[in-house]
Amino acid sequence: MKNTLILFIYTFFFVFHIYPQGIEFSTYEAETVNKSSYDVFATESPVFNKYFALKFDLAIHDHSSFGYIFRIKDRNSTNPDIYSLVFSYDTYISSHIKLNIEARTGLMTDTLDNAKLRARHWMPVEIRFYLEDDSITLAIRDKQFVSRGLGLPSSMKPEILFGSSTFSQEMPPFAIRNLSVDNKDKTYQFPLNESTGSDVHDNKGKVIGKAINPIWIINKSYHWNQAWTYRSNQVTGSSFDPVN
């Protein structure tokens, strides 16, 4: 009984130590009506001057997929540029993640190792809009890219949409966590620790965003989900490989 109790306590604290929050987006293969999307500033439209940064952890669940991670555009503009982050399969060894200005040009491309792309394998992503300097930086893991001379406004009221949109329904199966949008004047942090519903709260408990058909990751940490079924007429067994 003592050994069982010790194992339970260790597992309990381990689950909370890994911060099992986040939002998962239903795959590109799902029917359009069931696709997931997340509007970060659905109920509030902050204006950022000089610069702002978007940060989050990203996990790509299937490296053989293709589609949009997010789109950003300026709500203050009548004909805004749309900045999109797109994931694209290349070969069985590698894939690409690209930042584009839609219908205009590709800005930056990073090559990813497919062996490191799977559920809960998180990589930090940060994109900074330097509005006064008219430049954007994209940082993924330990690599950083810069693009200049884009015609950015001096201030932006960003619309940030993750996942599906009316423009295109194509997206890879992916998840995000630890989301924040900030500059030196404003900071918005989203723990994404919801378990039900479509309201998305900031770290102060205020409803800022709206999600459609979200899959809240926290539920997968506390509920069993069937992943595999196998039947055999012979005596069988199973083993666990702690490395893989």
Side-chain angles (χ1 to χ4, degrees):
M1 177 62 71
K2 182 183 292 186
N3 290 340
T4 303
L5 180 60
I6 291 172
L7 177 61
F8 171 77
I9 293 175
Y10 173 79
T11 304
F12 178 81
F13 280 102
F14 178 74
V15 168
F16 278 87
H17 178 70
I18 61 174
Y19 304 105
Q21 296 96 341
I23 180 174
E24 188 175 307
F25 294 79
S26 59
T27 73
Y28 65 102
E29 296 174 341
E31 295 180 4
T32 299
V33 70
N34 293 325
K35 286 183 177 291
S36 303
S37 65
Y38 167 36
D39 186 346
V40 176
F41 292 121
T43 65
E44 190 167 316
S45 298
V47 175
F48 294 94
N49 299 309
K50 298 183 179 179
Y51 83 93
F52 70 92
L54 171 67
K55 308 171 190 176
F56 58 94
D57 293 334
L58 171 67
I60 301 293
H61 293 183
D62 180 7
H63 67 259
S64 64
S65 59
F66 164 83
Y68 292 84
I69 304 298
F70 68 65
R71 287 183 172 85
I72 300 176
K73 65 180 180 180
D74 185 10
R75 283 191 168 110
N76 278 334
S77 176
T78 56
N79 187 28
D81 285 329
I82 300 175
Y83 298 87
S84 59
L85 191 70
V86 180
F87 176 81
S88 179
Y89 171 80
D90 184 28
T91 70
Y92 72 94
I93 296 176
S94 63
S95 297
H96 298 306
I97 194 163
K98 304 176 182 181
L99 183 67
N100 303 321
I101 301 179
E102 291 185 1
R104 275 187 56 190
T105 185
L107 298 179
M108 312 167 204
T109 300
D110 186 19
T111 301
L112 304 176
D113 181 357
N114 288 342
K116 298 179 180 179
L117 302 178
R118 65 187 75 173
R120 310 299 175 263
H121 279 223
W122 301 99
M123 54 183 167
V125 177
E126 179 177 353
I127 176 172
R128 286 184 171 268
F129 286 77
Y130 292 96
L131 303 175
E132 280 193 333
D133 294 336
D134 194 21
S135 65
I136 294 176
T137 63
L138 172 66
I140 302 176
R141 288 197 176 114
D142 57 349
K143 291 180 285 185
Q144 181 167 297
F145 307 86
V146 181
S147 186
R148 297 181 173 86
L150 307 173
L152 293 172
S154 59
S155 67
M156 280 184 68
K157 183 188 288 186
E159 176 185 289
I160 304 173
L161 182 67
F162 283 89
S164 178
S165 73
T166 55
F167 177 82
S168 174
Q169 301 295 341
E170 288 187 284
M171 63 179 186
F174 74 98
I176 62 171
R177 68 176 186 181
N178 298 334
L179 174 68
S180 68
V181 186
D182 66 85
N183 67 6
K184 67 177 182 179
D185 299 318
K186 299 182 180 71
T187 299
Y188 294 84
Q189 294 180 323
F190 305 95
L192 301 177
N193 57 1
E194 287 80 5
S195 60
T196 61
S198 60
D199 291 341
V200 183
H201 304 74
D202 65 8
N203 61 327
K204 300 176 182 178
K206 183 179 180 181
V207 176
I208 303 292
K210 293 288 183 180
I212 298 175
N213 299 314
I215 302 170
W216 298 113
I217 293 176
I218 198 169
N219 291 322
K220 294 189 174 184
S221 299
Y222 301 106
H223 303 287
W224 288 101
N225 294 276
Q226 180 175 312
W228 183 64
T229 300
Y230 174 77
R231 291 178 176 87
S232 173
N233 293 325
Q234 306 296 322
V235 176
T236 60
S238 63
S239 61
F240 174 68
D241 180 353
V243 176
N244 297 314

